[in-house]
Amino acid sequence: MSNDFVAWCRELLSPLGTVRSRRMFGGHGFYVDDLFLALIFDERLYLKVDDETRASFEAQGCTPFTYSVRDGGQHSLSYFTAPDDAMDSPTQMLPWARLAFASALRARASKPPARKRAPAATPSPASARKRAKG
């Protein structure tokens, strides 16, 4: 995957706020305000959709992100390709990026709160001395 394409997609999404990306599963994932809202796979940008936004993407001829599963079938995720004309500039991408951001917000709101982890145990002074000697 080209670093130039990743940088261009970050720029396209930048009107939403600070965009960070990271490699994942042979592609890249994009976050704004710690919300996962887009991914790149096979040099295509996919934006987060949900029941409220899917029809807008379908009306533009966008296609869902799918991948093959072990049994030979196809599985799809809640991501659709960005409209072709939206790939031309951040201004043209903005309405689509806003839809993806709204979908990501709704997805986060629908999840139960994460359980808090117990703090890590602090070693006792005696065990620390033992390790130092050992």
Side-chain angles (χ1 to χ4, degrees):
M1 174 174 321
S2 124
N3 288 333
D4 290 340
F5 187 65
V6 173
W8 176 242
C9 290
R10 286 180 65 162
E11 186 175 333
L12 288 172
L13 298 170
S14 67
L16 291 178
T18 303
V19 180
R20 66 182 178 86
S21 64
R22 60 174 238 167
R23 289 184 178 274
M24 54 179 26
F25 308 114
H28 272 80
F30 294 87
Y31 298 81
V32 174
D33 294 338
D34 291 324
L35 288 172
F36 187 77
L37 62 98
L39 60 94
I40 293 176
F41 193 76
D42 284 339
E43 297 287 326
R44 294 291 314 228
L45 178 65
Y46 293 86
L47 301 171
K48 178 82 172 147
V49 301
D50 62 8
D51 290 340
E52 291 186 37
T53 60
R54 185 174 290 106
S56 297
F57 284 85
E58 290 172 335
Q60 290 294 311
C62 303
T63 57
F65 175 77
T66 60
Y67 61 92
S68 299
V69 292
R70 290 182 189 204
D71 67 5
Q74 291 284 312
H75 185 73
S76 65
L77 298 177
S78 296
Y79 293 85
F80 270 66
T81 55
D84 289 337
D85 60 345
M87 295 299 294
D88 293 338
S89 74
T91 302
Q92 289 175 280
M93 179 61 73
L94 186 56
W96 300 99
R98 284 181 175 151
L99 290 174
F101 190 79
S103 294
L105 279 172
R106 284 188 291 274
R108 181 171 70 182
S110 70
K111 290 183 180 177
R115 293 187 338 191
K116 293 187 179 188
R117 292 184 186 183
T122 307
S124 70
S127 66
R129 282 192 301 272
K130 258 186 177 175
R131 278 195 305 258
K133 288 181 179 179

